[in-house]
Amino acid sequence: MVTAEEAWRILGSLAKPIGTEQAPLGSLSGRVLAEEVRAESPFPPFSRALVDGYAVRAEDLPGLLVVCGSSEAGRPFSGTLLPKQAVRILTGAVVPEGATHVVRQEEVERSDERIRVGSPLESLNIQTRGEDAKPGDLLLTPGIRLGAGPIGLLASLGKSEALVFRRLRLAHLLSGDELAPAGESLPAGKIYDVNGPMMAALWDRGGWERMGQRWIRDLRVEMERAIEEWMPKADVLVLSGGLGPGEADLVSEALAALGCAVHFHGVEIRPGKPFLCASQGQTLVLGLPGNPGAHLALFWLFVKPLLDALSGMPFAVPWQTGRLSGDLSSGPLPRETFWPVTVASEEGSIWLHPLPWTGSASVPVLARTQGFARLPKGRGRFAAKELLAFLPIA
Ligand SMILES: Nc1nc2c(c(=O)[nH]1)N[C@H]1C(S)=C(S)[C@@H](COP(=O)(O)OP(=O)(O)OC[C@H]3O[C@@H](n4cnc5c(N)ncnc54)[C@H](O)[C@@H]3O)O[C@H]1N2
Ligand code: MOO
């Protein structure tokens, strides 16, 4: 049995990114960047007008100017602005040589090919060449998950692809002779599979590749065969159930028979005490207890930080702090406990409302859980307004 801190440390040491690949711009959403991105040329590539109006020279103002041509987006004015001249210009167009300012069209009087411009001009209304980035400027660093903003930046640089970490391949093996699939009538003694659909939902949101999900009967030989079959295909194999000390708790025996290295089996926490971590070669095996409450809590506390780190991001558990909105009392806690809470922000404070919780076998509470409050071992009473660490789940 290890402590939660030891489990995080071990998982962190196992979390080496799994490899990289080039991916096209259109498929980068949710991927993790594996390279530094620097500007190769100035951005914007030319000084451009920020408003519709006239390009002018400050030294001619105030005065009457002759409009000698136009510059539109994509169709620049080819000459140089001479004394007492102006060029009609539209937003995004190249500012002609010699111009110092762009004056808004609302601020000039125009008659035929002449404009009258007052003085002084308050703003340039020009985004100058290289204002956003100069050649060599660092624009993106490795380890960020790519969303719309960074993808837009890559597009502005003309990049048609980027180096990203390979998508993690995950498989989920669920054991339990009592499991029945949704949609079928429930024979006596059976329950519907909760962990399969719950984990599938978590994985789809994380952008990882779901290799497969398989049910196995509570037979050691079946468990062993399924692990052996999936180990070469997956980067991470998540097992559901079969971890406790009962006769049908088969995972440890199957892993031992396959010669896997077990890094820990059992963490001093509630829920999720039988949590197991093993590996063989490059493949990691995570055993999560069958109780759905343990499955969900362990995913957020340990599995997600590990998967993120294997995907190229830092290994981190993003704790926050909040105050209890009411008293929380249970018997003295036998282990460090992660208690389901709802989370609300009010008047600059985060409030944690402890949900009624009977343990990891309870499922309805999971539908309301927005975070897990971290409670130390030994205590049984926590007063309203006490400040606690919690892990938000979103
Ligand atoms: N003598 C002891 N018994 C138990 C201990 C212990 O220390 N000594 N630990 C308890 C704790 S804590 C947990 S957690 C469970 C761990 O059990 P397993 O990992 O072996 O899981 P199972 O026995 O297979 O299942 C537990 C529970 O969850 C239900 N389950 C399983 N899979 C699913 C699923 N896919 N969807 C919904 N529900 C599922 C299963 O029917 C059981 O009710 O052991 C305790 N026992
Ligand atoms: O570890 Mo169990 O999940 O505490 O019920």
Side-chain angles (χ1 to χ4, degrees):
M1 194 82 100
V2 297
T3 63
E5 293 296 342
E6 285 164 338
W8 280 310
R9 190 186 51 72
I10 294 168
L11 292 172
S13 71
L14 293 168
K16 305 277 182 294
I18 45 159
T20 58
E21 64 190 14
Q22 290 287 344
L25 191 67
S27 68
L28 291 180
S29 181
R31 305 296 300 272
V32 180
L33 188 65
E35 62 178 339
E36 276 188 348
V37 175
R38 291 180 183 271
E40 287 165 15
S41 49
F43 189 87
F46 50 84
S47 293
R48 56 182 173 176
L50 291 173
V51 295
D52 293 341
Y54 296 88
V56 298
R57 300 161 12 114
E59 57 265 47
D60 293 337
L61 306 183
L64 198 60
L65 309 177
V66 177
V67 179
C68 62
S70 70
S71 181
E72 295 166 20
R75 279 187 293 278
F77 174 76
S78 50
T80 299
L81 206 58
L82 300 174
K84 300 287 178 193
Q85 285 187 337
V87 162
R88 170 72 175 140
I89 192 163
L90 297 180
T91 303
V94 178
V95 176
E97 284 291 315
T100 60
H101 289 69
V102 174
V103 56
R104 284 172 184 275
Q105 63 188 49
E106 300 89 313
E107 289 162 15
V108 309
E109 287 167 35
R110 177 164 183 170
S111 59
D112 299 327
E113 293 315 304
R114 285 174 197 285
I115 55 168
R116 180 169 299 282
V117 189
S119 177
L121 294 175
E122 278 181 7
S123 61
L124 286 183
N125 291 329
I126 294 172
Q127 191 190 26
T128 51
R129 173 179 152 89
E131 184 180 301
D132 274 357
K134 298 180 182 41
D137 280 0
L138 182 60
L139 300 178
L140 294 173
T141 48
I144 58 159
R145 205 180 269 287
L146 294 168
I151 291 171
L153 176 56
L154 289 167
S156 78
L157 302 174
K159 302 252 180 210
S160 60
E161 57 179 25
L163 188 72
V164 290
F165 288 100
R166 184 165 69 65
R167 227 185 256 283
L168 270 188
R169 292 188 292 244
L170 308 179
H172 198 197
L173 302 181
L174 299 117
S175 71
D177 291 345
E178 73 278 34
L179 301 182
E184 290 185 7
S185 63
L186 207 56
K190 299 258 184 183
I191 55 163
Y192 290 120
D193 171 24
V194 176
N195 297 338
M198 201 167 63
M199 196 56 106
L202 292 165
W203 289 1
D204 287 349
R205 288 191 48 192
W208 304 297
E209 192 177 336
R210 181 141 56 95
M211 299 294 293
Q213 211 167 36
R214 165 94 56 91
W215 287 6
I216 16 181
R217 285 184 300 152
D218 286 334
L219 291 173
R220 202 201 86 182
V221 56
E222 269 210 30
M223 173 71 74
E224 207 178 304
R225 269 203 216 115
I227 296 176
E228 200 173 19
E229 180 193 337
W230 283 92
M231 199 102 81
K233 298 183 202 165
D235 299 304
V236 180
L237 203 55
V238 177
L239 310 177
S240 163
L243 287 164
E247 294 88 64
D249 294 328
L250 318 152
V251 170
S252 307
E253 289 173 27
L255 291 172
L258 292 167
C260 295
V262 175
H263 303 289
F264 58 79
H265 183 185
V267 185
E268 288 175 49
I269 53 171
R270 179 174 176 239
K273 184 184 60 160
F275 182 31
L276 172 146
C277 171
S279 64
Q280 193 178 60
Q282 297 302 306
T283 306
L284 289 173
V285 182
L286 300 176
L288 311 191
N291 276 319
H295 227 76
L296 187 71
L298 289 177
F299 173 82
W300 287 100
L301 289 163
F302 298 97
V303 180
K304 184 172 185 297
L306 175 74
L307 299 184
D308 282 344
L310 291 167
S311 306
M313 289 186 288
F315 184 94
V317 187
W319 296 108
Q320 294 186 18
T321 48
R323 288 186 191 283
L324 276 177
S325 65
D327 293 346
L328 166 56
S329 57
S330 68
L333 298 171
R335 302 186 287 283
E336 184 174 17
T337 295
F338 300 95
W339 194 286
V341 294
T342 62
V343 182
S345 277
E346 237 171 66
E347 292 164 10
S349 296
I350 297 180
W351 293 98
L352 308 176
H353 172 66
L355 290 164
W357 185 54
T358 51
S360 65
S362 176
V363 178
V365 67
L366 305 181
R368 296 175 60 200
T369 301
Q370 294 173 330
F372 292 98
R374 188 174 186 181
L375 307 179
K377 172 183 169 175
R379 285 180 57 192
R381 295 179 67 80
F382 300 84
K385 299 201 176 157
E386 179 163 350
L387 208 53
L388 294 174
F390 77 100
L391 180 64
I393 70 172

